[in-house]
Amino acid sequence: MPWVLGRSAVKYSFEDLKPVVVNGTGGVIYARAEAGVASVQDLINRDTPLVFGGISATGLDITTLVAFDLLEADVTSTFGFEGRGPVNLALQRGEIDLDYQTTSAYGSAVEGIVKEGKAVVLMSFGQLNEAGDVVRDPNFPDVPTVAEAYETLHGKKPSGEKYEAYKTLLGLTYTYQKGLWVPQETPEKAYELLRQSSEQLGTDKAFQEKAAKVLGGYPLVADTGMADRVRDAYKVSGSVRSYVTGLLADKYNIHVE
């Protein structure tokens, strides 16, 4: 995110690096039932805004903030929590109304309170497919994505600047969140050895069984087309950067240096 925001402390560029293997994650946005939320329709036209609990607006939370802006949700935010665990506890205590949790934490943090009727899952972030479209997360096949939530609320498919920003951030912060990179000048033979080894590892059944819990159900991706897809995902346009920094400044009074 510091790179996306163009922060002055960043002295590197992903354009100078080449991805060897990537691994993603996913997550869901959920709400406190006692806040009067039963579905995504309850995010708009509210008498009182819902309160989202965040850690930092310039970190992973930013994808959720852009999702709320895209949906035109009636939401305010409180930042400064030390982690998503404390946010989850604050929601259960009724101190905030909205939270998100990544896939690896869903079972322990969200599933139980949903079964008890204390919380309701509203949407998943989704995943980017090979064409760059938002599709359902395979770990949450029955949960609509942010894009589907928009269509439910507004009667049309999302488009425009905000949606392009959401898709960009979705790729960077979820679909291609973790990766192994090498400098562009790495010898091709060495690069291919690393990539092919990663690809073989990712398809190994014994590895998949051991990695299922650690990687949250998301595969290692190191096929021959991976590098081009990741490069496309990491092409952050000036308009996307301007929109995100403008959102932070105008709605959250956060000015990126």
Side-chain angles (χ1 to χ4, degrees):
M1 289 313 306
W3 174 77
V4 171
L5 295 172
R7 305 195 73 161
S8 60
V10 175
K11 306 300 181 185
Y12 60 86
S13 173
F14 285 103
E15 295 173 358
D16 301 327
L17 301 170
K18 191 173 182 179
V20 173
V21 55
V22 291
N23 172 245
T25 189
V28 298
I29 298 172
Y30 65 104
R32 183 170 61 91
E34 287 189 357
V37 182
S39 69
V40 292
Q41 282 92 343
D42 296 315
L43 292 175
I44 62 174
N45 301 322
R46 299 188 60 84
D47 295 330
T48 303
L50 296 166
V51 180
F52 166 71
I55 300 169
S56 168
T58 57
L60 186 60
D61 290 350
I62 200 166
T63 305
T64 308
L65 301 181
V66 170
F68 289 148
D69 194 45
L70 170 68
L71 297 174
E72 300 177 18
D74 294 331
V75 175
T76 60
S77 300
T78 298
F79 298 104
F81 288 94
E82 294 182 353
R84 299 247 60 85
V87 177
N88 175 265
L89 291 175
L91 182 139
Q92 293 187 54
R93 290 193 295 257
E95 298 166 358
I96 62 162
D97 307 311
L98 292 167
D99 179 29
Y100 73 88
Q101 294 288 335
T102 57
T103 306
S104 59
Y106 177 81
S108 60
V110 183
E111 192 171 28
I113 58 176
V114 169
K115 288 181 178 179
E116 293 172 2
K118 297 178 180 178
V120 57
V121 174
L122 300 176
M123 66 196 100
S124 79
F125 292 103
Q127 294 282 297
L128 288 185
N129 65 11
E130 293 186 3
D133 298 320
V134 180
V135 296
R136 288 200 177 187
D137 189 319
N139 284 293
F140 302 104
D142 300 323
V143 180
T145 65
V146 168
E148 291 175 285
Y150 180 93
E151 195 167 356
T152 297
L153 291 174
H154 302 289
K156 59 183 180 180
K157 293 185 180 298
S159 62
E161 178 185 62
K162 294 180 182 181
Y163 187 49
E164 290 306 311
Y166 178 75
K167 289 195 293 182
T168 296
L169 294 176
L170 176 64
L172 299 177
T173 58
Y174 286 94
T175 304
Y176 304 121
Q177 187 195 68
K178 297 176 287 292
L180 175 67
W181 302 71
V182 295
Q184 287 283 8
E185 61 270 21
T186 299
E188 187 64 19
K189 185 176 181 179
Y191 171 78
E192 276 300 311
L193 178 61
L194 286 168
R195 187 197 64 75
Q196 291 176 20
S197 299
S198 299
E199 186 176 24
Q200 291 172 16
L201 179 64
T203 58
D204 182 85
K205 290 185 178 179
F207 171 81
Q208 290 175 348
E209 290 175 3
K210 292 180 179 179
K213 185 176 182 180
V214 178
L215 299 183
Y218 298 90
L220 291 183
V221 180
D223 60 272
T224 54
M226 173 274 303
D228 288 336
R229 295 197 302 275
V230 173
R231 278 196 209 96
D232 288 342
Y234 274 69
K235 289 178 181 176
V236 181
S237 68
S239 61
V240 166
R241 278 195 169 99
S242 295
Y243 158 71
V244 173
T245 55
L247 175 67
L248 291 173
D250 297 341
K251 190 164 185 177
Y252 301 101
N253 196 30
I254 296 172
H255 301 274
V256 179
E257 80 281 1

